[in-house]
Amino acid sequence: MRFQPVLDTLPVYEAGKPIELVVREFGIPPEKVIKLASNENPYGVSSSVQAKVSEALVKMPLYPDDSYRELKESLAVSNGVGVKNVIQGNGSDQIFDFATRSVLEKGDLVLQNGKTFSMYSIYSGQCGADTLSTDSTEHDLNRFSDLYKKHHPKLIFLCTPCNPIGDALPKTDVFSFLDTISPETLVVLDGAYMDFGKTRDPKTEILPAEIVSKYPNVVYTGTFSKVYGLGGMRIGYGIANEEIIRAFYKLRPPFNVSQLSQLAATEALKDQDFVNQYLESNLRELEKYETFSESKGLPFFRSYANFLTIRLDRAKLSSTELFETLLREGIILRNLKSYGLNAIRITVGRPDQNRIVLDRLSALL
C-alpha cells in the first residue's frame, strides 16, 4: 500500500508513560505509582464535576448537542468574548490541527520556538509545510522577528508559558511582536499554562478578549486538561475573531467533543475555588523543586507552568538513566532526550508525592 510521502518523515508523538504500563512491566501496585510526567492536575477534578458526570452517565447512548451552546456560552462569559468567537476542540491540539489545515499548503513555512510542543510541527508536516525553529531554547522574540522578516512564514506558533521548558513571555513583549505581523499570517497563541503563569507573574497574563479586540489574525487556545483536571476528557477550545472561527468550523468533524466532556467542562468553569487552591499549591510545591535544584547545583528553567525542567549536564546520571531508574521504582517523570535535552521534566504533584520524588532524586543525584 502506498501512503502519502510526507508520512515518511513525520515522527510519532510520544506521550508520557501511563500508570498501566508501569503496573504491567514492573508489578508495582497502581496506588504506589507516582505519575508526574504529563502535567496533569494531581488533585483530580472538582467534586461538583464528578457529581455532574455521574448524573449524566444516563446520556451516554445519545449524541451530544452539536451546537455546544451551553459550553460555548460559559467559555464566552468567562473570557469576555462572544459565543461566535469560540470553538470547542477534542483537546486544544485539535485547534492546532484546524489552524494548520485552514491556511497551509505544501511548501509553506511555519515558525516556532526551538524547543516547544512537538505537535505543532507534526500537524504542519501533515499539510506538507516546513517548520522554521529559532536557535534558542527559551522564547526569544528578537529571533522570531528575524526569521519572520527573512522568510515570511504562513503560520506562527507561540506557546506561553511554554511546554516543555516552562518559560513565559510578558504580555507587552508579545503584543509588540504581534503588532509587526502581517494580518495575512495566522498566529496561534497557545495558552494551555496561562493560569499558572499569571499566578507567578501577572505580567505574563494574556486575556483572550484582548486578542479578539486587537488582532484579527490570532487565535488563542486553551485547555481543560491542566488546572481543571480534565485530561482524560480531552477537551480544549479556541478563541478568535469570527472569520477564523467560521473557517475552523468547516474543518470540524461532527460531535468532536463528547457528551460527558462538554458537561464536565461547563461545570468545571463554575468552581474557581478548586482552581485557585490548586494554583496556590502548585506554586508552593514548584518552589520546593527549584530550591532542591539550586542546592544540588543543577541548572533549571524558571517555570511559569505546573512543571519544572531540570538539566542534568552536571549530574552523574543522564536523563535516560535517571528516568529508567525511577520508572522501575514506580516514579514516572518525562525524559526530554527526544527534545535534544539532557533533562527531565517533573510535573508538580501533591506534597506527599513531591516529598517522595525529592528524596529519591537527592539519593540518586
Side-chain angles (χ1 to χ4, degrees):
M1 181 180 295
R2 295 184 61 187
F3 296 98
Q4 294 185 45
V6 69
L7 297 182
D8 294 336
T9 60
L10 285 180
V12 175
Y13 177 75
E14 295 182 19
K17 299 288 184 185
I19 291 175
E20 293 79 5
L21 182 146
V22 176
V23 171
R24 289 196 303 267
E25 288 195 5
F26 305 110
I28 300 172
E31 66 273 12
K32 297 292 185 181
V33 176
I34 298 175
K35 184 188 178 189
L36 300 180
S38 300
N39 306 337
E40 297 149 327
N41 187 327
Y43 294 99
V45 298
S46 162
S47 57
S48 63
V49 172
Q50 295 183 49
K52 188 74 172 180
V53 171
S54 296
E55 293 171 6
L57 291 177
V58 68
K59 296 183 178 181
M60 282 198 295
L62 306 176
Y63 286 115
D65 170 10
D66 196 49
S67 74
Y68 295 98
R69 184 76 185 185
E70 185 178 4
L71 171 61
K72 290 194 294 185
E73 286 180 346
S74 297
L75 281 167
V77 170
S78 63
N79 288 285
V81 298
V83 172
K84 292 183 179 179
N85 297 121
V86 180
I87 185 171
Q88 73 288 341
N90 189 262
S92 58
D93 51 312
Q94 188 174 49
I95 310 301
F96 309 149
D97 181 32
F98 296 160
T100 55
R101 288 196 289 135
S102 67
V103 299
L104 294 179
E105 298 176 313
K106 185 176 181 180
D108 283 338
L109 296 177
V110 177
L111 178 57
Q112 64 177 34
N113 194 54
K115 306 296 181 185
T116 196
F117 186 42
S118 60
M119 285 308 300
Y120 303 156
S121 58
I122 291 176
Y123 282 131
S124 300
Q126 290 172 0
C127 299
D130 297 315
T131 297
L132 288 169
S133 298
T134 66
D135 59 1
S136 55
T137 299
E138 296 177 281
H139 278 72
D140 184 333
L141 291 178
N142 289 326
R143 298 182 185 183
F144 267 83
S145 293
D146 290 342
L147 288 173
Y148 175 75
K149 292 173 184 176
K150 182 177 180 180
H151 298 283
H152 304 287
K154 197 78 167 287
L155 175 63
I156 300 173
F157 281 103
L158 281 180
C159 183
T160 179
C162 179
N163 175 32
I165 302 303
D167 64 301
L169 293 164
K171 179 179 74 172
T172 53
D173 291 355
V174 173
F175 283 7
S176 294
F177 172 71
L178 293 177
D179 287 339
T180 69
I181 303 302
S182 164
E184 297 303 313
T185 300
L186 180 64
V187 181
V188 176
L189 183 63
D190 183 354
Y193 299 92
M194 190 66 70
D195 291 287
F196 303 99
K198 72 179 183 182
T199 300
R200 183 154 214 177
D201 185 352
K203 294 178 182 177
T204 66
E205 182 180 17
I206 298 173
L207 300 173
E210 296 175 301
I211 294 298
V212 171
S213 65
K214 290 174 66 69
Y215 302 106
N217 60 322
V218 180
V219 55
Y220 179 100
T221 64
T223 180
F224 285 88
S225 297
K226 311 304 176 188
V227 292
Y228 295 106
L230 296 179
M233 288 293 193
R234 303 302 301 126
I235 181 163
Y237 57 91
I239 296 177
N241 77 74
E242 293 182 26
E243 181 184 20
I244 291 176
I245 298 301
R246 282 196 300 269
F248 285 8
Y249 258 97
K250 294 179 181 179
L251 298 169
R252 184 189 71 94
F255 311 114
N256 65 315
V257 169
S258 76
Q259 179 84 275
L260 297 182
S261 296
Q262 71 157 331
L263 289 170
T266 304
E267 187 66 27
L269 288 170
K270 301 175 184 178
D271 194 348
Q272 288 303 308
D273 286 342
F274 172 81
V275 170
N276 292 335
Q277 289 170 14
Y278 169 40
L279 290 172
E280 292 169 5
S281 172
N282 175 79
L283 185 54
R284 284 196 306 270
E285 296 299 306
L286 172 63
E287 289 172 345
K288 292 180 183 179
Y289 280 103
E290 292 178 336
T291 300
F292 165 83
S293 300
E294 289 171 346
S295 71
K296 295 295 182 182
L298 297 172
F300 59 90
F301 297 100
R302 181 172 171 82
S303 177
Y304 296 81
N306 64 340
F307 58 82
L308 187 69
T309 293
I310 303 174
R311 306 195 74 150
L312 299 175
D313 302 319
R314 303 177 189 172
K316 63 183 179 180
L317 292 176
S318 70
S319 61
T320 298
E321 291 170 325
L322 181 60
F323 167 78
E324 291 179 349
T325 298
L326 291 172
L327 190 66
R328 289 191 290 271
E329 298 178 11
I331 298 174
I332 312 173
L333 306 181
R334 188 64 183 265
N335 180 11
L336 295 184
K337 181 182 177 182
S338 63
Y339 283 87
L341 294 171
N342 182 26
I344 54 168
R345 189 190 69 192
I346 307 173
T347 303
V348 177
R350 302 186 308 269
D352 59 306
Q353 296 173 316
N354 299 327
R355 192 177 308 114
I356 293 170
V357 172
L358 286 169
D359 284 347
R360 290 303 299 134
L361 286 174
S362 184
L364 291 169
L365 295 173

